[in-house]
């Protein structure tokens, strides 16, 4: 008996050890054919895997060891996570993924997946995180995804039982259909983002959010919602800080119950069909900082209660039917836009006391009286737009204190007198429009000395005398002087009669008078010269002290170069090595000798006497030192030193692109041809080369926008900033306007960046004319114009070649047959149907990227994908 008991004991121990071994052996997983088959079905839907990310997905390894796959430690052989972020995958989703019943995380961010999200996803009841942003999913919303704690990006879902859901992000997608979510059951919801989608339906669904007592953000802007705002919004959470229904089709009035949303800091109702007036109770929202209700059909007076909001900084009420006067108690306003209304009366003197305000747009109204500017006020003003009013009197001399002013529009008023000489201090001025007034006197020569001035319109005034012949006056497309009948001289293209020479009879002047005049003149010049030098030195010292606060760290990988090294490399910064000049400095060709080897470099030397040059140097270094991409110009070194005279010296050293700029290839200068320089006629760029270049540029821009921890906005994409190497590979350069932003912010906060917009006329998106926010969509617009220029050889600023159209975008979008038959047929073999189809497809992408409204433009990831498809089809044909 004891023997039998012992045998049973041994048998039981063996079984336990066997089960223990099976349960713990790392090399043998419990097989699960369901998960295995689901993953293989997912793999079979992948069209392109350029990085080989799913190459390991085969039967030689257990699927739990496949790249991007994580299995449960408790449930052997059950997939709990799929993470294939930024793998450049192209494909669609298999419905068999709905069989991964233990899946908790699914991350496909920054790929090129397309098509619909399968309805079978509704079976994934354990999902906690879905991250599908920066893809191209479309179609209607699948149902029954429940118990998700966090949805990020353009994830198309409809929720019914997600009682623990706190953040629902369905933004920036091509989703269609209606929102079928019962929000009454989402009591824990804090953030609802449905902006920039094609979702539709009645906005009254907001009523079901009243049960969300912790709700802080409602953002459904840029979609297709209609209907009217329900009165029940007064029961929304008092914690609500952002309420955005902008860019929809919402009509009706603004409910007075909005006064209960006392936590609001940002109210965005612009670009709808709202009527009636702004409720006076809006003055009870004491935390309100920004209000955007422009582009509606609102009327009556702007409520004076807005003056009660001491934190209000941004007011955008443009393009309505408001009348009456501006409230006079806007104490902390930073940006005021009231254009395209019927406002009248005088401009409040109180506006002149807002020393922090940086943008005032009161254009297209009926304001009368003088321009109120107090001496020493408005020191931060960057834009002043009073176009099309009834203002009279002189241009205020006190405008000279607005030293950061970049855009001044006073067109179509009744202003008189001369241009104040004090405006010479506005050295940052980029655009000046004084046309259609009654201004007189001579045109000041200092306008030609303003290095940043890119557009000057003085037409239809009463100016007289000689026209300056330097600076902006040398640019035919940047200057307008028509309607001034008493001007003379100037550049030939202005077609103004020459000035008559005046013969002063100096022989009648006495010798004593000549001596006195000469002495006084010499003394005056010395005093002015001494004062100018002192002022310049003083300002430079102050500027240097401020800029020292920003410490520039140089990576160890950079070459250590001194001023003497760069002086020697460029032959003393010789004019023969000068490659080009920009706003903040000049670029020289150089040869560095490193360990008995020669290296060709481009040395960008910053002109520190130009305001902002030092900051541009620091910005450019910071923006480029942390990024690496084959289509970005490589930075080799930075030099922050002093020259042999003890003067500060700053330079950035880049790898030299011996092929020159794309500008040179597209628009070869006639002077270059005459001088015997190597010809780079645009006929040398074949269709294949153009395709390669445009794909190179798109890839670089996509990398800046999506390929880093930070979103990087270039800000000045144009042919002269695209450099080609010996293989005609394109490299994007000049990061002087770059803005770097953290990519962890939601897109409605982090996709734009407030800064003084610079860039280049013709490539700047239209929205930059009304806002100082740089966006990735702005880069997309510039890229679109660049594409159109590459495949038409037409500059966007060349009015003579636009065939009567207002822009290059409109020319191509409306006159495609003209482009193909009249222009391009002479440059490339467009008689070939394969070539014509290719060019047409590329031009369509350029048009789609340069659409007027940012939300309608393509994403750069889609651009790269479509261009690669076009190239593949062209080469295969």
């Amino acid at each position: 008996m004891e023997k039998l008991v012992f045998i049973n004991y041994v048998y039981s121990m063996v079984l336990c050890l066997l089960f223990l071994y099976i349960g713990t052996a790392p090399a043998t997983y419990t097989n699960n054919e369901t998960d295995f088959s689901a993953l293989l079905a997912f793999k079979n839907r992948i069209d392109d895997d350029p990085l080989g990310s799913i190459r390991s997905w085969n039967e030689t390894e257990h699927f739990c060891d496949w790249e991007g796959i994580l299995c449960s430690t408790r449930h052997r052989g059950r997939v709990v996570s799929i993470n294939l972020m930024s793998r450049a995958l192209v494909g669609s989703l298999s419905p068999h993924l709905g069989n991964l019943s233990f899946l908790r995380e699914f991350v496909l961010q920054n790929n090129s997946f397309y098509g619909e999200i399968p309805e079978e996803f509704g079976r994934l009841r354990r999902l906690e995180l879905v991250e599908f942003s920066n893809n191209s999913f479309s179609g209607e919303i699948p149902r029954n995804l429940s118990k998700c704690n966090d949805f990020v990006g353009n994830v198309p879902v409809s929720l019914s039982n997600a009682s623990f859901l706190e953040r629902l992000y369905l933004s920036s997608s091509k989703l269609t259909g209606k929102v079928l979510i019962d929000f009454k059951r989402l009591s824990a919801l804090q953030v609802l983002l449905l902006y920039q989608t094609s979702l539709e339906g009645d906005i009254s669904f907001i009523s079901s959010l009243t049960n969300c007592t912790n709700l802080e953000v409602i953002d459904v802007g840029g979609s297709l919602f209609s209907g009217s705002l329900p009165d029940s919004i007064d029961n929304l959470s008092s914690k609500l800080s952002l309420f955005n229904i902008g860019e929809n089709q919402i009509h009706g009035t603004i409910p007075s119950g909005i006064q209960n949303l006392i936590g609001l800091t940002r109210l965005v109702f612009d670009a709808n069909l709202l009527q009636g007036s702004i409720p006076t109770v809006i003055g009870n929202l004491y935390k309100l900082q920004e209000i955007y209700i422009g582009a509606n059909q609102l009327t009556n007076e702007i409520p004076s209660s807005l003056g009660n909001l001491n934190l209000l900084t941004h007011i955008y009420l443009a393009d309505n039917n408001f009348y009456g006067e501006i409230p006079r108690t806007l104490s902390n306003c930073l940006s005021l836009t009231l254009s395209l209304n019927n406002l009248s009366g005088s401009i409040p003197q109180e506006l002149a006391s807002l020393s922090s305000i940086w943008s005032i747009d009161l254009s297209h109204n009926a304001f009368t009286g003088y321009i109120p500017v107090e001496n020493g006020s408005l020191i931060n003003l960057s834009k002043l737009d009073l176009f099309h009013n009834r203002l009279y009197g002189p241009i205020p001399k006190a405008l000279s204190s607005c030293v950061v002013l970049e855009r001044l529009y006073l067109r179509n008023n009744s202003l008189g007198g001369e241009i104040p000489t004090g405006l010479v201090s506005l050295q940052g001025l980029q655009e000046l429009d004084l046309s259609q007034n009654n201004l007189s006197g001579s045109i000041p020569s200092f306008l030609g000395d303003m290095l940043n001035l890119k557009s000057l319109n003085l037409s239809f005034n009463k100016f007289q005398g000689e026209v300056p012949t330097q600076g902006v006056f040398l640019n035919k497309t940047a200057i307008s002087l028509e309607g001034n009948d008493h001007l003379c001289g100037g550049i030939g293209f202005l077609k103004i009669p020459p000035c008559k020479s005046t013969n002063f009879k100096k022989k009648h002047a006495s010798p004593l008078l000549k001596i006195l005049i000469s002495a006084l003149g010499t003394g005056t010049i010395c005093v002015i010269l001494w004062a100018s030098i002192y002022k310049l030195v003083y300002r430079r010292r102050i500027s240097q002290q401020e800029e020292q606060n920003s410490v520039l760290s140089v990576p160890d990988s950079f070459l250590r170069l001194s001023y003497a090294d760069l002086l020697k490399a460029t032959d003393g910064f010789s004019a023969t090595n000068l490659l080009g000049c920009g706003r903040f400095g000049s670029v020289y060709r150089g040869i560095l000798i490193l360990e008995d080897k020669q290296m060709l470099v481009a040395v960008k030397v910053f002109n520190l006497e130009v305001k902002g040059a030092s900051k541009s140097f620091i910005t450019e270094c910071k923006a480029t030192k942390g990024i690496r991409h084959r289509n970005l110009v490589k930075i080799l070194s930075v030099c922050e030193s002093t020259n042999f005279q003890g003067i500060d010296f700053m330079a950035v050293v880049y790898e030299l692109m011996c092929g020159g700029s794309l500008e040179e290839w597209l628009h070869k200068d006639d002077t270059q041809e005459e001088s015997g320089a190597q010809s780079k006629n645009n006929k040398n760029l074949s269709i294949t080369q153009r395709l390669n270049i445009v794909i190179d540029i798109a890839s670089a821009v996509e990398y800046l926008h999506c390929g880093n921890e930070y979103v990087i906005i270039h800000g000045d994409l144009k042919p002269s900033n695209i450099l080609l190497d010996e293989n005609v590979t394109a490299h994007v350069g000049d990061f002087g306007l770059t803005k770097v932003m953290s990519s962890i912010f939601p897109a409605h906060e982090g996709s734009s960046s407030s800064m003084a917009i610079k860039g280049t006329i013709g490539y700047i998106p239209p929205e930059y004319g009304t806002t100082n926010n740089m966006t990735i969509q702005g880069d997309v617009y510039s890229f679109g114009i660049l594409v159109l220029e590459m495949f038409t050889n037409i500059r966007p600023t060349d009015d003579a070649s636009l065939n009567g159209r207002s822009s290059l975008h409109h020319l191509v979008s409306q006159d495609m047959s003209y482009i193909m038959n009249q222009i391009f047929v002479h440059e490339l073999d467009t008689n070939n149907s394969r070539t014509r189809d290719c060019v047409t497809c590329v031009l369509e992408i350029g048009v789609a990227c340069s659409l007027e409204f940012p939300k309608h433009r393509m994403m750069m990831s889609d651009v790269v994908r479509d261009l690669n498809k076009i190239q593949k089809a062209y080469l295969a044909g």
Side-chain angles (χ1 to χ4, degrees):
M1 185 66 179
E2 292 179 357
K3 184 176 181 181
L4 181 60
V5 171
F6 177 75
I7 292 173
N8 288 336
Y9 174 77
V10 172
Y11 180 71
S12 299
M13 290 296 294
V14 170
L15 286 177
C16 289
L17 291 173
L18 180 61
F19 284 126
L20 182 63
Y21 173 77
I22 293 174
T24 59
T28 59
Y29 297 85
T30 301
N31 289 325
N32 189 293
E33 291 297 329
T34 301
D35 286 13
F36 176 68
S37 299
L39 292 176
L40 285 183
F42 174 69
K43 177 183 178 181
N44 291 335
R45 289 290 191 97
I46 302 298
D47 301 331
D48 192 15
D49 178 22
L51 304 181
S53 301
I54 59 174
R55 194 173 298 153
S56 64
W57 289 29
N58 54 63
E59 297 184 12
T60 60
E61 293 186 55
H62 194 279
F63 59 79
C64 290
D65 294 324
W66 291 354
E67 184 174 352
I69 301 300
L70 179 65
C71 290
S72 171
T73 56
R74 293 179 55 195
H75 306 281
R76 287 292 175 181
R78 302 313 305 267
V79 176
V80 295
S81 174
I82 300 176
N83 189 335
L84 295 171
M85 180 176 67
S86 301
R87 307 299 177 96
L89 296 171
V90 179
S92 59
L93 296 183
S94 167
H96 292 286
L97 289 169
N99 296 329
L100 299 174
S101 54
F102 279 77
L103 192 65
R104 294 198 302 267
E105 297 181 355
F106 199 1
V107 181
L108 296 178
Q109 180 186 10
N110 296 335
N111 284 287
S112 297
F113 284 95
Y114 57 87
E116 299 184 2
I117 306 297
E119 287 284 346
E120 288 76 6
F121 264 42
R123 297 199 292 250
L124 303 178
R125 300 184 178 276
R126 288 182 170 86
L127 269 181
E128 297 176 0
L129 169 64
V130 178
E131 169 56 290
F132 283 2
S133 59
N134 290 326
N135 281 281
S136 300
F137 293 114
S138 59
E140 293 191 355
I141 300 175
R143 304 164 183 266
N144 301 324
L145 266 181
S146 61
K147 203 175 179 182
C148 288
N149 295 322
D150 192 2
F151 288 91
V152 184
N154 56 350
V155 185
V157 296
S158 181
L159 308 176
S160 57
N161 299 308
S163 57
F164 299 103
L165 184 67
E166 294 182 353
R167 293 176 291 165
L168 179 58
Y169 296 177
L170 309 181
S171 58
S172 302
S173 69
K174 300 177 181 178
L175 297 172
T176 59
K178 296 183 178 181
V179 178
L180 304 176
I181 303 173
D182 185 1
F183 289 104
K184 292 181 179 179
R185 307 174 73 173
L186 306 184
S187 57
L189 193 65
Q190 297 178 15
V191 178
L192 174 64
L193 299 184
L194 303 178
Y195 65 93
Q196 291 188 351
T197 70
S198 295
L199 297 173
E200 57 187 355
D202 199 310
I203 196 65
S204 61
F205 78 83
I206 288 180
S207 295
S208 64
L209 291 166
T210 55
N211 195 40
C212 305
T213 57
N214 292 314
L215 194 62
E216 298 177 0
V217 172
I218 298 176
D219 192 342
V220 298
S223 296
L224 299 175
F225 293 109
S226 57
S228 59
L229 282 171
D231 292 334
S232 58
I233 67 170
D234 59 353
N235 292 322
L236 290 173
S237 168
S238 61
K239 298 180 181 178
L240 191 66
S241 62
L242 169 61
F243 194 4
N244 180 7
I245 60 169
E247 297 183 78
N248 281 283
Q249 301 170 22
I250 299 169
H251 55 80
T253 61
I254 301 174
S256 59
I258 199 171
Q259 66 175 319
N260 291 347
L261 306 182
I262 57 175
L264 275 183
T265 61
R266 197 161 179 244
L267 181 65
V268 185
F269 285 5
D270 62 307
N272 279 289
L273 304 172
L274 295 173
Q275 297 177 325
S277 59
I278 299 177
T280 57
V281 294
I282 202 167
N284 297 335
L285 303 178
Y286 62 93
K287 293 184 179 180
L288 198 62
Q289 299 175 20
E290 301 179 27
I291 179 170
Y292 303 90
I293 317 184
N296 280 285
Q297 300 170 16
L298 298 171
T299 185
N300 295 328
E301 295 186 352
I302 299 174
S304 59
S305 59
L306 284 180
N308 300 333
L309 305 177
N310 295 328
L311 301 179
L312 196 59
T313 59
H314 291 71
I315 302 174
Y316 183 83
L317 305 180
D319 198 5
N320 280 287
N321 296 310
F322 293 118
Y323 55 80
E325 299 185 351
I326 302 176
R328 297 177 177 270
T329 53
L330 304 175
S331 57
N332 290 300
C333 191
L334 299 178
S335 175
L336 178 64
T337 303
L338 302 177
S339 56
L340 295 166
N341 280 288
N342 296 311
L343 298 171
S344 59
S346 60
I347 299 175
Q349 187 69 36
E350 287 79 0
L351 285 183
S353 63
L354 300 178
S355 59
S356 297
I357 196 167
W358 50 264
S359 177
I360 299 176
D361 186 351
L362 305 180
S363 60
H364 289 276
N365 280 286
F367 291 111
T368 58
Y370 289 80
I371 299 175
V373 179
E374 295 179 354
N375 191 29
S377 63
L378 302 178
I379 58 176
N380 290 301
L381 190 65
S382 175
K383 173 186 175 182
L384 178 61
D385 190 349
L386 303 178
F387 168 48
H388 195 85
N389 279 282
R390 301 172 185 173
L391 301 170
Y392 52 81
I395 298 175
K397 296 180 181 179
L399 277 175
S400 60
S401 64
C402 304
V403 292
V404 298
L405 194 64
E406 295 180 345
R407 292 170 176 81
L408 178 60
Y409 308 112
L410 302 179
R411 179 179 180 178
N412 201 358
N413 282 282
S414 299
L415 301 174
E418 299 184 355
I419 298 177
T421 57
L423 296 188
V424 68
S425 63
L426 306 183
Q427 290 300 312
L429 199 63
Q430 297 179 21
E431 298 179 17
L432 177 62
D433 191 343
L434 305 179
S435 61
Q436 299 183 42
N437 281 285
N438 296 315
L439 299 171
S440 59
S442 61
I443 298 176
S445 60
F446 66 74
L447 292 176
D449 297 328
M450 291 183 169
L451 299 178
N452 293 313
L453 192 59
K454 306 300 180 185
S455 175
L456 176 63
N457 190 348
L458 302 178
S459 59
F460 298 102
N461 279 284
K462 299 176 181 179
F463 292 113
Q464 57 188 355
E466 188 172 2
V467 177
T469 57
Q470 71 274 14
V472 69
F473 294 94
L474 298 174
N475 189 339
K476 180 179 180 181
T477 61
I479 182 73
S480 180
L481 299 175
E482 60 181 328
N484 292 279
D485 298 331
H486 300 288
L487 293 175
C488 65
I491 307 301
F493 62 74
L494 295 174
K495 298 181 180 179
I496 295 175
C499 296
K500 297 179 181 179
S501 60
T502 302
N503 184 20
F504 293 100
K505 298 182 180 181
K506 298 182 180 180
K507 61 182 180 180
H508 296 293
S510 68
L512 179 60
L513 181 60
K514 291 181 179 180
I515 295 173
L516 287 175
I517 292 175
S518 177
L520 288 173
T522 304
T524 302
I525 291 173
C526 291
V527 171
I528 293 174
L529 183 61
W530 179 85
S532 299
I533 294 174
Y534 176 80
K535 188 176 182 180
L536 179 62
V537 172
Y538 176 75
R539 284 188 173 182
R540 279 198 56 200
R541 288 180 179 175
I542 296 298
S543 176
Q544 290 168 1
Q545 291 174 1
E546 292 175 350
E547 292 167 355
Q548 289 303 319
N549 295 329
S550 179
V551 179
L552 179 65
S553 58
V554 180
D556 294 334
S557 59
F558 281 8
L559 298 174
R560 302 292 176 177
L561 300 174
S562 64
Y563 168 78
D565 295 329
L566 300 182
L567 186 70
K568 180 179 180 181
T570 59
D571 193 20
F573 302 109
S574 168
T576 58
N577 286 325
L578 183 65
L579 297 177
C581 298
R583 182 169 58 255
F584 293 130
S586 303
V587 181
Y588 295 87
R589 183 180 187 273
I591 302 176
L592 287 176
I593 308 298
L594 300 173
E595 298 178 352
D596 297 329
K597 294 182 180 179
Q598 292 186 348
M599 177 184 292
L600 295 177
V601 295
V603 182
K604 183 174 183 179
V605 180
F606 288 77
N607 182 3
L608 301 183
E609 293 183 358
V610 176
K611 182 179 179 181
S614 295
K615 291 183 179 179
S616 176
F617 168 80
I618 294 171
T619 299
E620 190 158 351
C621 294
K622 288 183 176 179
T624 54
K625 71 178 183 181
I627 58 177
R628 291 290 183 270
H629 191 275
R630 65 181 294 271
N631 298 121
L632 294 176
V633 175
K634 182 180 179 182
I635 183 172
L636 301 175
S637 180
V638 297
C639 179
E640 188 177 14
S641 181
T642 57
N643 62 19
F644 295 151
Q645 288 75 40
I647 300 174
D648 288 346
F649 175 85
M650 291 183 179
V652 180
V653 183
Y654 291 98
E655 181 182 11
L656 181 64
M657 299 291 109
C658 58
S661 71
L662 181 60
E663 173 86 6
E664 297 170 356
W665 286 77
L666 296 178
H667 312 292
K668 190 179 74 65
D669 194 341
D670 293 337
T671 59
Q672 181 187 30
E673 194 170 30
E674 293 172 0
S675 65
Q678 181 182 358
S679 175
K680 295 176 181 175
N681 192 285
N682 50 54
K683 292 182 180 179
N684 288 341
L685 284 178
S686 65
I687 281 287
T688 302
Q689 288 175 318
R690 291 172 193 255
L691 269 176
N692 290 338
I693 291 171
V694 79
I695 290 173
D696 289 342
I697 300 169
S699 300
V701 177
E702 181 194 28
Y703 173 82
L704 294 176
H705 291 177
C706 308
N708 292 278
E709 180 183 358
Y710 301 100
V711 174
I712 300 176
I713 300 173
H714 186 281
D716 196 19
L717 286 171
K718 57 183 178 180
S720 61
N721 285 338
I722 309 302
L723 306 179
L724 306 180
D725 62 18
E726 66 273 14
N727 299 317
V728 199
T729 299
H731 302 261
V732 177
D734 195 350
F735 291 77
L737 299 180
T738 290
K739 186 67 180 176
V740 182
M741 309 173 307
S742 173
S743 61
I744 63 174
F745 295 129
H748 74 284
E749 296 175 357
S751 64
S752 66
S753 178
S754 178
M755 68 178 296
I757 303 300
K758 294 180 173 62
T760 303
I761 293 175
Y763 304 90
I764 302 176
E767 66 269 22
Y768 283 10
T770 57
T771 176
N772 273 352
N773 285 339
M774 290 181 66
T775 65
I776 58 175
Q777 291 87 359
D779 273 357
V780 174
Y781 178 90
S782 302
F783 171 81
I785 297 298
L786 192 153
V787 170
L788 299 181
E789 183 176 3
M790 280 185 61
F791 283 80
T792 64
N793 290 333
I794 299 176
R795 296 182 187 270
T797 55
D798 187 2
D799 294 337
S801 300
L802 293 181
N803 198 30
R805 300 296 181 179
S806 60
S807 68
L808 183 56
H809 167 88
H810 289 110
L811 173 65
V812 177
S813 62
Q814 298 173 17
D815 285 344
M816 183 70 77
S817 60
Y818 170 81
I819 290 295
M820 299 300 294
N821 297 325
Q822 298 299 322
I823 297 178
F824 222 80
V825 71
H826 301 298
E827 302 296 338
L828 298 168
D829 183 19
T830 50
N831 292 319
N832 182 304
S833 60
R834 178 171 64 96
T835 302
R836 293 179 69 89
D837 291 342
C838 173
V839 172
T840 300
C841 291
V842 174
L843 290 177
E844 287 174 352
I845 289 179
V847 169
C849 288
S850 56
L851 291 170
E852 179 178 1
F853 296 105
K855 69 174 184 177
H856 294 157
R857 297 170 195 156
M858 296 181 68
M859 297 293 292
M860 287 309 301
S861 55
D862 295 336
V863 172
V864 173
R865 182 196 65 210
D866 291 351
L867 286 173
N868 278 300
K869 287 183 178 179
I870 293 171
Q871 184 188 51
K872 184 176 181 180
Y874 176 75
L875 296 177

